[in-house]
Amino acid sequence: MKGKLIVVSGPSGSGKSTATRLVRDRLQIPLSISATTRLPRTGEIDGKDYFFLEKEDFENRITNGEFYEYALVHGNYYGTLREEVESRINSGQNVILEIDVQGGLIVKEKNSEAILVFFKAPSMEILAKRLGDRKTDSKEVIKLRLANAKKELEYEKEYDYTVVNDNLEKACQELINIINK
Ligand code: 5GP
């Protein structure tokens, strides 16, 4: 039997990364590592957090058809490598992709059985506060991410499920229930 392909998307600050990491650990779903052209943040490790690629390298891989999906997000390329998805699903493993909304729709088009889960903060005010509290991004980057959040929220209706993340444990449990359905 094929594994399930779960896509988790939502604005930066929606808590999707933390929830996805916890759920992956609990359900023992291996990590799918994306490639990106953005610079590593302090503490991020190449091959663990992302495969950090030069733009030219990323574009060559697009041409070679190495990506299952990719998109330009906040001015940088992000993409899921084919090898992170196809062989795993075919061998019966579940895969969780934490990717942006453009990527989510590409996945849905490729695989109609993919389960799309949209994460959001309870309000824009709370989202803004969370992004400020993270202290990982500059003011300009935060502004850009908030503007993008508004656009991303328009994609919620294309998703199969929404998780409003006002409590991490509750959000994780909701995601687990969706996966186990
Ligand atoms: P960050 O720079 O904060 O790590 O990620 C920024 C955005 O890129 C997030 O919305 C994240 O979900 C998205 N992202 C990460 N990896 C991928 C990927 O492989 N494909 C797509 N389409 N988006 C990704």
Side-chain angles (χ1 to χ4, degrees):
M1 206 174 84
K2 281 197 173 188
K4 291 181 187 168
L5 180 56
I6 300 107
V7 170
V8 176
S9 305
S12 309
S14 60
K16 62 182 189 300
S17 311
T18 311
T20 305
R21 186 169 1 102
L22 288 170
V23 167
R24 260 200 345 255
D25 288 349
R26 285 189 205 166
L27 300 184
Q28 299 193 321
I29 299 176
L31 175 63
S32 156
I33 302 169
S34 293
T36 183
T37 57
R38 91 150 156 73
L39 294 174
R41 295 192 186 116
T42 312
E44 284 185 333
I45 297 167
D46 185 35
K48 180 170 171 274
D49 298 288
Y50 281 104
F51 297 112
F52 293 101
L53 304 181
E54 297 293 330
K55 192 168 174 228
E56 199 187 331
D57 186 5
F58 199 106
E59 287 174 341
N60 284 337
R61 288 168 191 261
I62 295 174
T63 311
N64 292 340
E66 288 182 40
F67 288 106
Y68 187 75
E69 63 74 33
Y70 71 91
L72 261 178
V73 186
H74 313 309
N76 285 300
Y77 282 120
Y78 290 81
T80 309
L81 292 157
R82 239 174 236 292
E83 65 201 46
E84 299 283 317
V85 181
E86 289 172 343
S87 55
R88 290 194 190 164
I89 293 180
N90 289 337
S91 67
Q93 286 182 46
N94 292 341
V95 173
I96 303 186
L97 299 180
E98 194 230 298
I99 60 178
D100 92 304
V101 287
Q102 307 166 74
L105 295 193
I106 296 171
V107 170
K108 188 83 194 182
E109 213 158 81
K110 284 191 131 162
N111 182 342
S112 59
E113 284 171 16
I115 303 162
L116 269 60
V117 185
F118 193 90
F119 259 66
K120 65 179 189 182
S123 68
M124 281 308 267
E125 289 71 29
I126 292 174
L127 186 69
K129 183 169 181 319
R130 283 185 189 166
L131 286 175
D133 287 349
R134 283 210 305 209
K135 298 198 168 53
T136 47
D137 296 309
S138 65
K139 283 219 167 78
E140 288 69 41
V141 169
I142 291 176
K143 244 174 106 180
L144 181 65
R145 286 180 182 234
L146 275 174
N148 281 342
K150 292 201 177 115
K151 286 187 216 145
E152 282 162 338
L153 285 168
E154 290 170 15
Y155 286 77
E156 182 189 346
K157 57 182 181 305
E158 313 286 341
Y159 275 62
D160 302 311
Y161 299 94
T162 294
V163 173
V164 178
N165 184 9
D166 50 3
N167 171 292
L168 182 60
E169 183 49 40
K170 206 172 116 250
C172 287
Q173 201 49 55
E174 275 182 47
L175 183 54
I176 289 174
N177 291 345
I178 292 167
I179 295 169
N180 286 338
K181 247 182 205 162

